[in-house]
Amino acid sequence: MLLHRSVVRSKLDGSTRARLRLVDSLWLYVQSAEGNVGVMTASALRAQMPWRRSCQRMSYQCFHTTHRTDSKEHVKVLVLGGGSGGITMGARMKRKVGAENVAIVEPSEMHYYQPIWTLVGAGAKSVESSGRPTSSVIPSGVKWVKSRVMEVNPDTNSVRTDCGKEISYEYLIVALGLQLHYEKIKGLPEGFEHPKIGSNYSVKTVQKTWKALQDFKEGNAIFTFPNTPVKCAGAPQKIMYLSDAFLRKTGKRSNANIIYNTSLPVLFGIKKYADSLWEIVKSRDLNINLRQNLIEVRADKQEAVFENLDKPGETKVFEYEMLHVTPPMGPPDVLKGSPLANEAGWLNLNKETLQHNVYPNVFGIGDCTSLPTAKTAAAVAAQSSVLDRTITRIMKKNKPDKKYDGYTSCPLVTSYNTVILAEFDYNGQPLETFPLDQSKERRTMYYMKADVMPHLYWHGLLKGLWGGPGPYRTIMHLGMK
Ligand code: FAD
Ligand code: UQ1
């Protein structure tokens, strides 16, 4: 159960037996002696509990069980991470080897459909609609190991969890997602305790975006894109288009200077869609500054500091009335420096088969991988059907025969009723599902993004029944060149 911060505070008063667990550098899950669980910021917690000043440096503690369990278990197929990729592969592997032979390691009580956070930040959907209990998405009969993986030892085919459990496996599927690094921006994450700042990238801060937008009076509305790989590279600018539309709708647009400060040298990586986006940007009077990287937020003064990536040492301070932060991102800590990672820390996979380049019984899917394509749930869908096939072949001692082409998709929300549906492959070539020009803003695509995709996610992808639009693309393009 998640409790409001203030409730957590009151529950904690006098409760020295509260158990704490660092979720990221900002948020802590807190479990009081009565067993209630909540989240609060690290700084708020330090203020509450001076005897725990070092909590930010605390090691992870086993959260879900009262005592550490130094035990051993074995499973045929072990899945690390119960996000989009992990649940999807759990469902597919259950069909392959039987539920009793599959386990998923995932610490979170809630599973979120992250793509809808773009619309939550703009007030078009509720945050509640984005989450379901993890227990409800774990395929029935599959074991849910409610812990965090702390160490992966592919040489001994085993992993260790924060509860001290050692789990050995025959086949390992790594689906750990990526890690958000708000703390790499000076002044964050504490800055989120102030108003006028939000971030659609975390369930903790997405409603703050909507609040900042509603409270907007006059001044700069600034949207950022960091100097790292990100998931859904379109999301940092989708919220800008939605904010622009909201301010127009509420008659405040003439008071607003809308600015998109991006670390990238381009607005969007695929020219066909970038051309359309530049047209929109020009027609809606949006200011795009390339190669500008957010390095500091002075939330008390409503100031954001950017470095010019082309002129080292040159920084610029912007005042803001609203700031949307897309945080730096990177591979999960547990992978970085492990034998499974490449030099950059991402899971070292064969980009066509999704089999590990060094350990043949290890596979991966999604944001944690080295696959050189845009990190999206749409990519996870396409990867899942290839990975299913690869693992099946490997289990039968055959060579993988199906190849992932890098398919990924980004529904670029450009207003409260239009979307440009970008779809492309490893070569950056458009790979469009529908037999029409998807670089045009379309209402049908908005409907698909807002109302169809969530169903496809919960009832198709997570059940292992949706492997991406590949087969439909072929049918829809029959008879076309
Ligand atoms: P996740 O779904 O993030 O799952 C990773 C899981 O691993 C998490 O549940 C986490 O708790 C768990 N985990 C992490 N560390 C450990 C550990 N040590 N031990 C055990 N478990 C661990 N995609 C689209 O296709 N279309 C969109 O329009 C779109 N829009 C987006 C908008 C926003 C604002 C965001 C944030 C994302 C968007 N995405 C979109 C991206 C999409 O949500 C991700 O690409 C997708 O969820 C990746 O799946 P994954 O399984 O790799 O990672
Ligand atoms: C998709 O498959 C998918 O995963 C379920 C998404 O994530 C939410 C998407 O945003 C998109 C666009 C796809 C691709 C599906 C079609 C029908 C083009």
Side-chain angles (χ1 to χ4, degrees):
M1 179 175 58
L2 292 186
L3 301 177
H4 188 268
R5 234 164 52 183
S6 56
V7 180
V8 173
R9 273 198 197 110
S10 68
K11 291 276 174 207
L12 282 174
D13 282 342
S15 163
T16 51
R17 288 199 298 130
R19 286 185 296 133
L20 318 170
R21 177 164 169 271
L22 198 59
V23 171
D24 56 34
S25 51
L26 170 59
W27 295 93
L28 292 152
Y29 276 114
V30 181
Q31 187 170 35
S32 71
E34 304 91 76
N36 293 313
V37 176
V39 290
M40 68 194 306
T41 63
S43 54
L45 182 75
R46 277 198 302 278
Q48 273 298 295
M49 307 168 87
W51 49 271
R52 255 304 186 197
R53 281 200 188 283
S54 61
C55 67
Q56 232 164 353
R57 271 171 276 116
M58 253 172 30
S59 61
Y60 290 102
Q61 293 186 9
C62 178
F63 179 52
H64 302 284
T65 57
T66 314
H67 303 290
R68 278 177 63 93
T69 48
D70 292 314
S71 60
K72 290 190 179 186
E73 271 183 36
H74 179 81
V75 67
K76 187 174 172 107
V77 180
L78 181 63
V79 182
L80 304 185
S84 313
I87 297 295
T88 299
M89 289 316 297
R92 285 179 178 264
M93 289 300 102
K94 171 183 167 179
R95 283 209 297 273
K96 206 109 295 173
V97 299
E100 69 283 7
N101 292 311
V102 182
I104 300 175
V105 188
E106 167 60 58
S108 307
E109 289 283 347
M110 290 293 287
H111 179 107
Y112 290 100
Y113 176 59
Q114 302 167 40
I116 214 68
W117 290 345
T118 291
L119 300 183
V120 174
K125 293 276 178 183
S126 71
V127 75
E128 290 76 23
S129 74
S130 72
R132 296 191 181 179
T134 299
S135 57
S136 72
V137 296
I138 298 277
S140 64
V142 166
K143 177 161 190 182
W144 173 18
V145 182
K146 219 195 275 180
S147 312
R148 180 168 286 267
V149 183
M150 300 304 283
E151 202 179 304
V152 188
N153 302 306
D155 293 310
T156 56
N157 294 322
S158 66
V159 308
R160 193 175 51 78
T161 72
D162 58 352
C163 296
K165 189 179 278 188
E166 192 179 301
I167 311 171
S168 57
Y169 57 80
E170 237 173 279
Y171 302 95
L172 182 71
I173 300 174
V174 185
L176 290 166
L178 54 63
Q179 211 166 307
L180 304 176
H181 289 293
Y182 288 104
E183 81 287 353
K184 289 195 174 164
I185 297 166
K186 193 174 169 197
L188 295 184
E190 318 79 77
F192 284 112
E193 285 166 19
H194 291 261
K196 309 277 182 188
I197 172 172
S199 174
N200 289 356
Y201 273 84
S202 165
V203 70
K204 324 283 173 21
T205 51
V206 60
Q207 287 164 298
K208 297 205 75 224
T209 307
W210 176 224
K211 179 88 173 70
L213 187 51
Q214 285 174 294
D215 291 348
F216 189 95
K217 289 190 183 70
E218 185 180 7
N220 290 335
I222 304 178
F223 302 83
T224 73
F225 189 110
N227 193 20
T228 64
V230 300
K231 52 180 155 185
C232 195
Q237 63 184 287
K238 296 178 199 178
I239 186 60
M240 167 178 67
Y241 301 123
L242 286 161
S243 300
D244 169 70
F246 179 79
L247 294 175
R248 285 176 196 276
K249 201 164 60 181
T250 50
K252 292 190 220 158
R253 182 60 180 91
S254 55
N255 302 337
N257 181 27
I258 298 186
I259 300 169
Y260 184 62
N261 279 355
T262 170
S263 297
L264 296 178
V266 290
L267 183 54
F268 193 72
I270 310 301
K271 188 174 178 309
K272 174 172 180 177
Y273 307 112
D275 288 348
S276 301
L277 294 171
W278 276 115
E279 290 300 319
I280 291 171
V281 155
K282 271 189 247 155
S283 69
R284 295 185 198 164
D285 194 22
L286 308 171
N287 299 301
I288 310 298
N289 299 315
L290 304 176
R291 304 288 287 153
Q292 298 295 319
N293 181 36
L294 179 68
I295 54 170
E296 182 178 355
V297 176
R298 301 169 187 156
D300 53 338
K301 297 193 217 156
Q302 290 175 221
E303 286 176 357
V305 186
F306 292 82
E307 63 175 346
N308 183 336
L309 294 171
D310 289 331
K311 295 187 181 155
E314 186 182 298
T315 58
K316 197 169 170 187
V317 180
F318 288 72
E319 280 187 2
Y320 64 81
E321 166 71 1
M322 169 181 179
L323 177 65
H324 179 267
V325 177
T326 299
M329 303 178 204
D333 280 343
V334 63
L335 280 185
K336 267 190 283 184
S338 87
L340 292 182
N342 68 9
E343 275 192 2
W346 303 101
L347 185 74
N348 182 9
L349 288 192
N350 177 306
K351 67 180 225 179
E352 290 180 335
T353 64
L354 314 187
Q355 186 178 26
H356 196 269
N357 278 323
V358 181
Y359 297 94
N361 62 337
V362 177
F363 307 85
I365 186 165
D367 295 352
C368 67
T369 66
S370 60
L371 304 173
T373 193
K375 297 177 186 300
T376 65
V380 165
Q383 290 162 17
S384 70
S385 56
V386 175
L387 184 51
D388 193 335
R389 175 81 182 169
T390 292
I391 296 180
T392 307
R393 301 270 306 172
I394 296 287
M395 284 175 172
K396 292 183 177 155
K397 311 261 180 282
N398 291 322
K399 281 215 161 81
D401 60 355
K402 198 170 170 183
K403 291 181 180 172
Y404 175 51
D405 56 9
Y407 173 83
T408 189
S409 171
C410 187
L412 294 154
V413 183
T414 53
S415 77
Y416 283 90
N417 56 14
T418 51
V419 156
I420 287 174
L421 183 61
E423 292 181 281
F424 49 95
D425 64 11
Y426 275 140
N427 301 319
Q429 291 305 311
L431 202 55
E432 299 184 343
T433 301
F434 303 98
L436 35 85
D437 181 1
Q438 291 183 196
S439 67
K440 287 202 160 61
E441 291 180 278
R442 292 184 188 275
R443 282 166 184 262
T444 45
M445 298 304 175
Y446 181 89
Y447 170 68
M448 195 194 72
K449 156 84 189 168
D451 299 317
V452 178
M453 276 305 144
H455 290 282
L456 194 60
Y457 182 85
W458 295 112
H459 306 295
L461 183 69
L462 294 191
K463 306 280 185 214
L465 301 171
W466 172 248
Y472 306 94
R473 181 170 58 237
T474 311
I475 294 166
M476 290 212 225
H477 287 79
L478 279 179
M480 295 181 70
K481 206 172 138 219

